[in-house]
Amino acid sequence: MKLATWNVNSIRARLDRLVAFLGRHQPDVVCLQELKVPDDEFPILEVEAAGYQAVFHGQRTYNGVAILTRTPVTDVELGLPGNDQDDQARLIAATIGGIRVLSAYFPNGQSVGSDKWLYKLGWMERLRAHLEARYTPDQPIALCGDFNVAPEDRDAARPDEWRESVLCHADARERLARIAAWGMVDGMRVHEAGPGPYSWWDYRMLAFPKGNGLRIDHVYLTAPLAARCRKAWVDREERKGKLPSDHAPVLVELAP
DNA sequence: ATGGTTGCTTAGCAA
């Protein structure tokens, strides 16, 4: 099974690239983030024409997550429990081929110490609590998405430059480590020691040509799936050319 | 040097 996750930064702006990506890789499951469309504007016809079913949880302008599959999905769940005031569309879960797949768009946090930063840390704690309440780590679970955290210094091309940022700050790394400690491993690190590969490069300051990347998009796997992980990689080609997303897709190949 | 780019929505915010 080939599993992919990609922050498309607007599914409308990236629709041609998404369809080409599906054709090029023929993934079985694709988790998407930052759709930036309400549900009634999700391009369902184009996705189905490409051979995929979709479940999605969107909102206007911001956020929005989806799971695309070539086989039927069941038990779709929208949103992250634990805060009735939270209307941000950042999590969707579905079962595909016996695997529980979660597509997650973690908050960015904007700047350390801001309200959005506190929301980020709280959201990550809520996700950990949700995993603990809803699942057990002996189940086959793949938590995929834009985590907006580079877990370690080897996940940044220039770690010193980024260490105090919202993407690398020790408090965000610690919250992510707690999520992993529930019972998941970083799929990329099953076979790749790094440094890199990176999955995001800022649009500004020529970050991509300068190689100033971070690895903030992840596929975290519980033990039954980690044992099946054959390889993981980033499709850097997707960051090149005209009007790319600022994120490149991460792909994982799981043995049957 | 407090910059730079993209997307959504239309001037300002979020990333």
Side-chain angles (χ1 to χ4, degrees), chain A residues 4-60:
Chain A
T5 183
W6 188 16
N7 178 325
V8 290
N9 184 21
S10 167
I11 194 171
R12 279 190 301 234
R14 225 63 61 199
L15 189 53
D16 290 349
R17 277 185 175 261
L18 174 62
V19 170
F21 172 81
L22 297 173
R24 186 163 74 253
H25 288 283
Q26 300 277 303
D28 297 287
V29 179
V30 183
C31 294
L32 300 176
Q33 301 86 37
E34 278 211 87
L35 305 177
K36 296 187 173 181
V37 288
D39 287 344
D40 61 2
E41 292 176 34
F42 186 93
I44 187 65
L45 295 177
E46 291 86 345
V47 167
E48 287 179 350
Y52 287 80
Q53 308 177 28
V55 291
F56 40 88
H57 180 35
Q59 69 182 87
R60 183 171 296 284

Side-chain angles (χ1 to χ4, degrees), chain A residues 9-10 23 25 28 37 39 65 76 78 95 124-125 131 143-144 146 164 171 183 203 209 232 234 243 247:
Chain A
N9 184 21
S10 167
H25 288 283
D28 297 287
V37 288
D39 287 344
V65 287
V76 178
L78 309 181
T95 301
M124 293 177 74
E125 172 53 26
L131 292 171
L143 173 64
C144 313
D146 175 2
E164 299 307 317
D171 291 351
Y203 280 131
V234 171
L243 294 177
H247 296 252

Side-chain angles (χ1 to χ4, degrees), chain A residues 88-99:
Chain A
Q88 299 191 29
R90 294 182 175 275
L91 187 69
I92 186 169
T95 301
I96 304 117
I99 298 175

Side-chain angles (χ1 to χ4, degrees), chain A residues 11-252:
Chain A
I11 194 171
R12 279 190 301 234
R14 225 63 61 199
L15 189 53
D16 290 349
R17 277 185 175 261
L18 174 62
V19 170
F21 172 81
L22 297 173
R24 186 163 74 253
H25 288 283
Q26 300 277 303
D28 297 287
V29 179
V30 183
C31 294
L32 300 176
Q33 301 86 37
E34 278 211 87
L35 305 177
K36 296 187 173 181
V37 288
D39 287 344
D40 61 2
E41 292 176 34
F42 186 93
I44 187 65
L45 295 177
E46 291 86 345
V47 167
E48 287 179 350
Y52 287 80
Q53 308 177 28
V55 291
F56 40 88
H57 180 35
Q59 69 182 87
R60 183 171 296 284
T61 310
Y62 306 112
N63 309 316
V65 287
I67 301 173
L68 314 187
T69 72
R70 297 201 288 184
T71 55
V73 311
T74 58
D75 303 299
V76 178
E77 290 181 358
L78 309 181
L80 177 62
N83 179 355
D84 293 341
Q85 266 68 270
D86 186 4
D87 56 359
Q88 299 191 29
R90 294 182 175 275
L91 187 69
I92 186 169
T95 301
I96 304 117
I99 298 175
R100 191 66 175 165
V101 176
L102 290 80
S103 179
Y105 177 46
F106 288 37
N108 171 283
Q110 195 166 60
S111 61
V112 174
S114 66
D115 288 349
K116 292 188 174 71
W117 171 249
L118 297 178
Y119 173 76
K120 175 180 192 165
L121 298 181
W123 193 94
M124 293 177 74
E125 172 53 26
R126 266 200 290 148
L127 177 60
R128 191 207 58 76
H130 173 61
L131 292 171
E132 189 172 277
R134 176 72 178 73
Y135 303 109
T136 61
D138 62 329
Q139 297 168 334
I141 299 168
L143 173 64
C144 313
D146 175 2
F147 288 24
N148 268 315
V149 181
E152 301 177 29
D153 280 357
R154 60 177 166 163
D155 302 307
R158 303 179 189 179
D160 294 343
E161 193 174 295
W162 286 94
R163 199 165 288 118
E164 299 307 317
S165 74
V166 292
L167 304 177
C168 295
H169 192 278
D171 291 351
R173 286 178 167 176
E174 190 252 357
R175 295 307 192 285
L176 180 56
R178 274 197 231 165
I179 290 169
W182 169 75
M184 291 179 297
V185 299
D186 183 336
M188 184 62 72
R189 292 298 177 227
V190 173
H191 297 297
E192 302 289 339
Y198 310 115
S199 66
W200 173 83
W201 298 262
D202 201 311
Y203 280 131
R204 299 163 291 185
M205 305 295 282
L206 301 172
F208 186 65
K210 289 180 178 174
N212 189 5
L214 296 178
R215 193 174 70 90
I216 60 174
D217 299 271
H218 306 293
V219 175
Y220 274 31
L221 303 169
T222 54
L225 293 184
R228 291 166 55 185
C229 183
R230 290 293 170 266
K231 66 170 187 168
W233 70 103
V234 171
D235 180 10
R236 289 182 85 259
E237 296 305 306
E238 197 50 70
R239 186 61 177 79
K240 301 177 182 176
K242 200 178 163 199
L243 294 177
S245 169
D246 45 352
H247 296 252
V250 176
L251 296 104
V252 167

